Amino acid sequence: MEQILILSGSNESGAALAGFLGDSFRCTPKILASAYQARMALEHNRRTELVIINAPLIDESGVELAKFITQETNANCILLLEQEQAEQLTYLSEQYQVIVLGKPVSKTILFQLIHTIEIAVHRLQRILEENQRLERKIRDMRTIDRAKFLLMQYEGMTEAQAHSYLEKYAMDRRKRKPIVALEIIDRINEKYL
């Protein structure tokens, strides 16, 4: 993970967290002190993967910010609270998918938790990339089918003839079928519609 944001009302704690993350995950997290700064940073950088809130912040408790992060961004959120508060706010995990930990937190637990989040982020990224690839493939197939349909409707071809025509057209021009399908659609639209 590279896009990590640390929020801490205490400069010392923020620097300690940043040092731990830098050593453990070879990253350079950005450290902020207020919820306002965090909201602005998240608005400007939609690629933030993880936000660690060491509550309280200088302008709020951190609870509302944690809810905002999980509801309005794609970032994961770890909220570090005093042990008593953490036990009272377990609903944040279920309702808002905020990971709530009581302080003090052991480095081992924090490392394992962030490592697990990192694995989940990478898996989600692969799934999103595969989804985009499949959506592109479906879009291409629709374009090709539309071109075949227009060839059949306006040029009097059978489906097999339209398919062969499209393949030959693509091969002769050394272009991908979806691109030549768009050319054919444009040509037929100009000629007949």
Side-chain angles (χ1 to χ4, degrees), residues 24-43:
S24 301
F25 295 97
R26 298 189 191 345
C27 63
T28 310
K30 185 175 184 179
I31 305 171
L32 300 173
S34 74
Y36 174 78
Q37 291 172 327
R39 283 184 172 90
M40 298 307 289
L42 289 166
E43 198 167 297

Side-chain angles (χ1 to χ4, degrees), residues 77-91:
C77 183
I78 298 174
L79 178 60
L80 305 175
L81 297 164
E82 294 302 324
Q83 188 65 44
E84 185 178 296
Q85 283 182 297
E87 290 169 5
Q88 294 171 355
L89 296 174
T90 56
Y91 77 93

Side-chain angles (χ1 to χ4, degrees), residues 93-137:
S93 298
E94 292 117 29
Q95 286 183 332
Y96 297 97
Q97 295 78 48
V98 174
I99 300 166
V100 180
L101 294 176
K103 295 190 275 188
V105 178
S106 81
K107 288 183 178 182
T108 304
I109 289 174
L110 192 58
F111 176 83
Q112 290 171 343
L113 180 60
I114 294 171
H115 185 66
T116 302
I117 290 171
E118 186 175 40
I119 291 167
V121 165
H122 288 296
R123 291 193 70 214
L124 180 61
Q125 186 62 38
R126 280 201 326 259
I127 290 168
L128 291 174
E129 288 169 0
E130 177 67 10
N131 191 33
Q132 288 173 344
R133 186 188 69 76
L134 292 172
E135 285 176 358
R136 197 170 36 251
K137 190 172 183 175

